Amino acid sequence: MASIVDSLNEAFLDSFAPLKLVGFAIPVYFAITSFMDGNLPVLYIWDTIIAILFLALLTQGIYNVRRSKREILSLNPWALVKDLAKTVVAVVPNAIIWIGAGFLLVKNVTIPIDVDWAQKVFVWIVFIIVYAIVMTSYLSFAKTMKVVQAYNYKVIFDSCVDVLIALFFFKLQLALVQIVLFGPVAYLYSFFKVPFTHWAFLFYASIVAVVDLSITANYLAQIAYECIPGNNEEYDNNYDAPIDLIDETAERLNGQ
């Protein structure tokens, strides 16, 4: 069963973790300060950079965890660019198709129930289903880094309900992690009457955003393994030499 605790631990056991947490937090920090200053043009630039960077890191992170590599977030710019391009090819067409289909459905189908909330519930159900399909498609691709798997609709339709349920519980657990990460620090700032707009707190929040990214990559990799059909044989072509997944995972957890 997917573990948020293991995902949190491995976020700090990642290779070069301090460097990655601080380095990848810098654009997040600049985005936060731009927002607080009301500088929207600069904010949009930083938001674009963060969206592109974090999507590449997330995809590469999912794949790295599934390969039981010692790193989750990658420092290899070429690998990030290559995987980002694959992600766009795998995800964007699917997202456009299914989101477009969802909008057409809710626009042209009216629930024949004379209750105000009936149509709203229908819209929510439609787009929850769309979200489940798109996310399952993404995970099916990211765990093997094979674009064709993003369009394996038999596997996607068979797995999307399980993926949706797993994502729901993940979001609840991630919310609890925020309490753990922010609670003690927020208490100290409140106790010493230091404003939460202080640069140190903002940078800490930026680091937490990177930790959340690593947690998400790790947990999504676990969801992909547990909910989407497949076995370790599908990864054989990705290795230069045989790897014992259990031993590699144990070494990573022990910080070796």
Side-chain angles (χ1 to χ4, degrees), residues 20 40 42 67 113 131 156 190 209:
K20 293 175 182 178
L40 294 184
V42 175
R67 293 183 67 194
I113 301 176
Y131 171 74
I156 291 169
S190 177

Side-chain angles (χ1 to χ4, degrees), residues 137-193:
S137 170
Y138 171 64
L139 293 180
S140 183
F141 152 72
K143 74 171 189 170
T144 58
M145 211 60 75
K146 296 178 180 178
V147 174
V148 67
Q149 291 300 317
Y151 301 93
N152 188 344
Y153 289 118
K154 181 181 185 305
V155 170
I156 291 169
F157 292 149
D158 287 344
S159 309
C160 63
V161 174
D162 291 335
V163 169
L164 179 63
I165 294 171
L167 288 172
F168 172 76
F169 284 106
F170 164 64
K171 290 180 178 180
L172 292 179
Q173 294 176 81
L174 188 61
L176 293 176
V177 169
Q178 305 315 297
I179 296 175
V180 173
L181 294 176
F182 276 111
V185 177
Y187 173 78
L188 288 175
Y189 270 74
S190 177
F191 181 81
F192 290 107
K193 295 181 171 53

Side-chain angles (χ1 to χ4, degrees), residues 24 53 56-57 60 74-85:
F24 293 137
L53 176 62
L57 289 170
Q60 179 67 225
S74 176
L75 290 173
N76 186 335
W78 167 243
L80 291 175
V81 170
K82 181 180 66 174
D83 292 339
L84 178 64

Side-chain angles (χ1 to χ4, degrees), residues 28 35 60 67 85 114 131 141 168 220 229 235-236 239 244:
V28 180
F35 172 77
Q60 179 67 225
R67 293 183 67 194
D114 190 19
Y131 171 74
F141 152 72
F168 172 76
L220 290 183
Y235 307 103
D236 286 347
Y239 293 98
D244 189 319

Side-chain angles (χ1 to χ4, degrees), residues 70-256:
R70 289 185 178 87
E71 71 169 2
I72 299 174
L73 303 182
S74 176
L75 290 173
N76 186 335
W78 167 243
L80 291 175
V81 170
K82 181 180 66 174
D83 292 339
L84 178 64
K86 285 185 176 182
T87 303
V88 170
V89 174
V91 174
V92 171
N94 256 327
I96 292 174
I97 290 170
W98 289 104
I99 293 174
F103 275 112
L104 286 175
L105 190 61
V106 299
K107 183 178 180 181
N108 295 289
V109 175
T110 302
I111 301 300
I113 301 176
D114 190 19
V115 181
D116 292 338
W117 50 262
Q119 190 67 23
K120 292 181 180 178
V121 171
F122 173 67
V123 171
W124 273 96
I125 291 174
V126 167
F127 283 103
I128 286 173
I129 294 172
V130 169
Y131 171 74
I133 293 173
V134 172
M135 283 300 300
T136 306
S137 170
Y138 171 64
L139 293 180
S140 183
F141 152 72
K143 74 171 189 170
T144 58
M145 211 60 75
K146 296 178 180 178
V147 174
V148 67
Q149 291 300 317
Y151 301 93
N152 188 344
Y153 289 118
K154 181 181 185 305
V155 170
I156 291 169
F157 292 149
D158 287 344
S159 309
C160 63
V161 174
D162 291 335
V163 169
L164 179 63
I165 294 171
L167 288 172
F168 172 76
F169 284 106
F170 164 64
K171 290 180 178 180
L172 292 179
Q173 294 176 81
L174 188 61
L176 293 176
V177 169
Q178 305 315 297
I179 296 175
V180 173
L181 294 176
F182 276 111
V185 177
Y187 173 78
L188 288 175
Y189 270 74
S190 177
F191 181 81
F192 290 107
K193 295 181 171 53
V194 179
F196 293 125
T197 54
H198 190 274
W199 71 268
F201 184 82
L202 296 181
F203 196 79
Y204 175 77
S206 303
I207 291 175
V208 170
V210 181
V211 173
D212 288 343
L213 176 66
S214 180
I215 291 172
T216 301
N218 198 314
Y219 200 95
L220 290 183
Q222 296 178 59
I223 291 176
Y225 175 74
E226 294 178 358
C227 299
I228 300 176
N231 53 55
N232 287 334
E233 292 177 359
E234 66 190 359
Y235 307 103
D236 286 347
N237 294 332
N238 296 322
Y239 293 98
D240 295 327
I243 291 179
D244 189 319
L245 297 180
I246 296 177
D247 288 346
E248 284 291 308
T249 301
E251 289 180 6
R252 191 169 72 244
L253 283 171
N254 291 328
Q256 298 180 8

